[in-house]
Amino acid sequence: VNVFTRRSVAEGMNLTEEMISANSIIRQLGDQIALAKAYVVIAKESNDLQFAWELSAQIRDCQLLLSKAATRGSSVTMQEAEPTIRELARLIYHAKELHYDSATMIMKLKAQIQALEDRANAATVQSTTFGQLAAEAVPKGLYCLGMRLTMQWISDPKLQKYMDDKNNSPRLTDNNLYHFCVFSDNVLATSIVVNSTTYNADHPELLVFHIVTDGVNFGAMQAWFAMHWYKGAAIEVQNVEGFTWLNASYVPVLKQLQDAETQSYYFRGAQDSRTAIKFHNPKYLSILNHLRFYMPEIYPALEKVLFLDDDVVVQKDLTPLFSIDLHGNVNGAVETCLETFHRYHKYLNFSHPKIQYHFDPDACGWAFGMNVFDLVAWKKADVTSRYHYWQEQNIDRTLWKLGTLPPGLLTFYGLTEPLDRRWHVLGLGYDPNVDNQLIESAAVLHYNGNMKPWLKLAVS
């Protein structure tokens, strides 16, 4: 538009006044265009492409009419606007006959929104399910490694003899040494825990590792640690199935496994979609996960042990932890309540009177994964009996839903000594934003969460 045209428009017609005037033809055309554009969208959604094309054509004619009026600087006359208005009115009336009116479209849009929400919820559940399956699945490489090691163990009597000697070493019960325990069915993960601990120790020859695994992986675990040297550290591998005291008459978790309702809950899946899928994961009933509550039974001759989960990597010498004064407490652990998320009320059902009247909902939570246990104080406080009591109280899963941390919080309540946070940094298995400086300064990195380092879905 040139300067002359702009000047003539300004002098001959005030477009703003035309648009707001109730009797203005320009306003009537503008209103019809806006309504017609809405119906074009609705017609396309209804797959009525012919009607959408007719509306679009009439909208273009209307816009051309307005453009000509603006160019010449005068209002649109009724004579020139009448055919366009009449045709648009006809199409709009036809749209209403096709139930394109506002009330019908509101109902239709509500139905579409509900359908989209249902699809989104279904996709979320499906994503959670697939994510859980990916986290639980054993990678092919790890599975094949275990199979090859088992075959080598069975076929090599020298390996068996070597491990028999190591498993009978007097170093295993020497309280002048530093004792570590790992309970795992993952050969590679356990090896990384042992290797990183010995690699960073000032005196690795003073370290003793007590490994407990299941019957399926017992041969593979023994073969691996018989074939590798860890800077002089002593290593013992035990089979959990060899613990004769570990039976249903003594261990509540094993007793619960015999209950039909518990088996249905964990192994046949939930009928109640409101309950999170992870709550029905049978790994939470794995006895290897619960061995941490039976330290004196497993190691009756030891006075102090350092418990490590199999998803940690050690970066510093851990032997100073054995010299820390626990002030008579049983459990030395790093607290996790820097924010309210990790306080007791997050893990436990405080609407239940057994929880409500005996525990502080704002008490600070702490982490399993790297814990110093004083077994002398443990026996004195009869910690295992406390654990049994709370497991028996939770047979209907009303005190907590899953895992070993909630019963741990109850069992070690008032018996936990907080450690410096730098000893144990958590979150590397679910949080990609853990502070880099914190990672660098940490003694133990814990990949708690589904994204384990040995899985494809690990944090890069």
Side-chain angles (χ1 to χ4, degrees), residues 47 75 98 192 265 347 386 427 431:
N47 207 29
S75 297
L98 293 173
I192 288 171
Y265 183 84
Y347 303 99
R386 293 175 63 161
D431 183 5

mmCIF file of all heavy atoms in Angstrom, residues 47 75 98 192 265 347 386 427 431:
data_model
loop_
_atom_site.group_PDB
_atom_site.id
_atom_site.type_symbol
_atom_site.label_atom_id
_atom_site.label_comp_id
_atom_site.label_asym_id
_atom_site.label_seq_id
_atom_site.Cartn_x
_atom_site.Cartn_y
_atom_site.Cartn_z
ATOM 1 N N ASN A 47 -14.576 -34.375 8.881
ATOM 2 C CA ASN A 47 -14.251 -34.952 7.561
ATOM 3 C C ASN A 47 -15.231 -34.512 6.468
ATOM 4 O O ASN A 47 -15.402 -35.204 5.472
ATOM 5 C CB ASN A 47 -14.204 -36.486 7.647
ATOM 6 C CG ASN A 47 -13.276 -37.079 6.595
ATOM 7 O OD1 ASN A 47 -12.311 -36.446 6.190
ATOM 8 N ND2 ASN A 47 -13.590 -38.274 6.141
ATOM 9 N N SER A 75 -16.426 3.080 3.021
ATOM 10 C CA SER A 75 -17.089 1.947 3.648
ATOM 11 C C SER A 75 -17.683 1.015 2.598
ATOM 12 O O SER A 75 -17.949 1.407 1.452
ATOM 13 C CB SER A 75 -18.210 2.434 4.579
ATOM 14 O OG SER A 75 -17.679 3.211 5.621
ATOM 15 N N LEU A 98 -26.195 -28.998 10.630
ATOM 16 C CA LEU A 98 -25.280 -30.147 10.753
ATOM 17 C C LEU A 98 -24.803 -30.332 12.193
ATOM 18 O O LEU A 98 -23.875 -31.088 12.452
ATOM 19 C CB LEU A 98 -24.058 -29.935 9.841
ATOM 20 C CG LEU A 98 -24.329 -29.965 8.341
ATOM 21 C CD1 LEU A 98 -23.071 -29.571 7.575
ATOM 22 C CD2 LEU A 98 -24.812 -31.338 7.896
ATOM 23 N N ILE A 192 32.087 -55.081 40.657
ATOM 24 C CA ILE A 192 32.398 -53.650 40.606
ATOM 25 C C ILE A 192 32.456 -53.074 42.020
ATOM 26 O O ILE A 192 33.313 -52.241 42.324
ATOM 27 C CB ILE A 192 31.367 -52.906 39.738
ATOM 28 C CG1 ILE A 192 31.590 -53.265 38.272
ATOM 29 C CG2 ILE A 192 31.460 -51.399 39.943
ATOM 30 C CD1 ILE A 192 30.529 -52.777 37.334
ATOM 31 N N TYR A 265 -1.013 -61.105 45.135
ATOM 32 C CA TYR A 265 -0.679 -59.678 45.070
ATOM 33 C C TYR A 265 0.608 -59.449 44.295
ATOM 34 O O TYR A 265 0.697 -58.550 43.453
ATOM 35 C CB TYR A 265 -0.547 -59.124 46.486
ATOM 36 C CG TYR A 265 -0.267 -57.638 46.555
ATOM 37 C CD1 TYR A 265 -1.296 -56.714 46.493
ATOM 38 C CD2 TYR A 265 1.038 -57.163 46.700
ATOM 39 C CE1 TYR A 265 -1.048 -55.355 46.568
ATOM 40 C CE2 TYR A 265 1.300 -55.802 46.774
ATOM 41 C CZ TYR A 265 0.248 -54.908 46.713
ATOM 42 O OH TYR A 265 0.506 -53.568 46.790
ATOM 43 N N TYR A 347 7.169 -42.443 53.704
ATOM 44 C CA TYR A 347 7.316 -43.898 53.538
ATOM 45 C C TYR A 347 6.278 -44.712 54.304
ATOM 46 O O TYR A 347 6.052 -45.873 53.969
ATOM 47 C CB TYR A 347 8.708 -44.321 54.020
ATOM 48 C CG TYR A 347 9.843 -43.618 53.322
ATOM 49 C CD1 TYR A 347 10.486 -42.532 53.916
ATOM 50 C CD2 TYR A 347 10.280 -44.027 52.068
ATOM 51 C CE1 TYR A 347 11.535 -41.886 53.282
ATOM 52 C CE2 TYR A 347 11.322 -43.388 51.426
ATOM 53 C CZ TYR A 347 11.946 -42.309 52.042
ATOM 54 O OH TYR A 347 12.972 -41.676 51.403
ATOM 55 N N ARG A 386 12.851 -56.776 66.528
ATOM 56 C CA ARG A 386 12.077 -55.576 66.202
ATOM 57 C C ARG A 386 11.623 -55.613 64.745
ATOM 58 O O ARG A 386 10.470 -55.283 64.425
ATOM 59 C CB ARG A 386 12.915 -54.312 66.452
ATOM 60 C CG ARG A 386 13.224 -54.064 67.911
ATOM 61 C CD ARG A 386 14.158 -52.886 68.122
ATOM 62 N NE ARG A 386 13.588 -51.618 67.678
ATOM 63 C CZ ARG A 386 14.036 -50.440 68.082
ATOM 64 N NH1 ARG A 386 15.057 -50.359 68.934
ATOM 65 N NH2 ARG A 386 13.485 -49.322 67.641
ATOM 66 N N GLY A 427 20.847 -41.277 44.159
ATOM 67 C CA GLY A 427 20.036 -40.724 43.081
ATOM 68 C C GLY A 427 20.558 -40.925 41.689
ATOM 69 O O GLY A 427 19.912 -40.508 40.724
ATOM 70 N N ASP A 431 18.025 -39.719 38.836
ATOM 71 C CA ASP A 431 18.117 -38.267 38.750
ATOM 72 C C ASP A 431 19.342 -37.858 37.927
ATOM 73 O O ASP A 431 20.475 -37.989 38.382
ATOM 74 C CB ASP A 431 18.218 -37.678 40.160
ATOM 75 C CG ASP A 431 18.256 -36.153 40.156
ATOM 76 O OD1 ASP A 431 18.101 -35.564 39.065
ATOM 77 O OD2 ASP A 431 18.422 -35.559 41.238
#
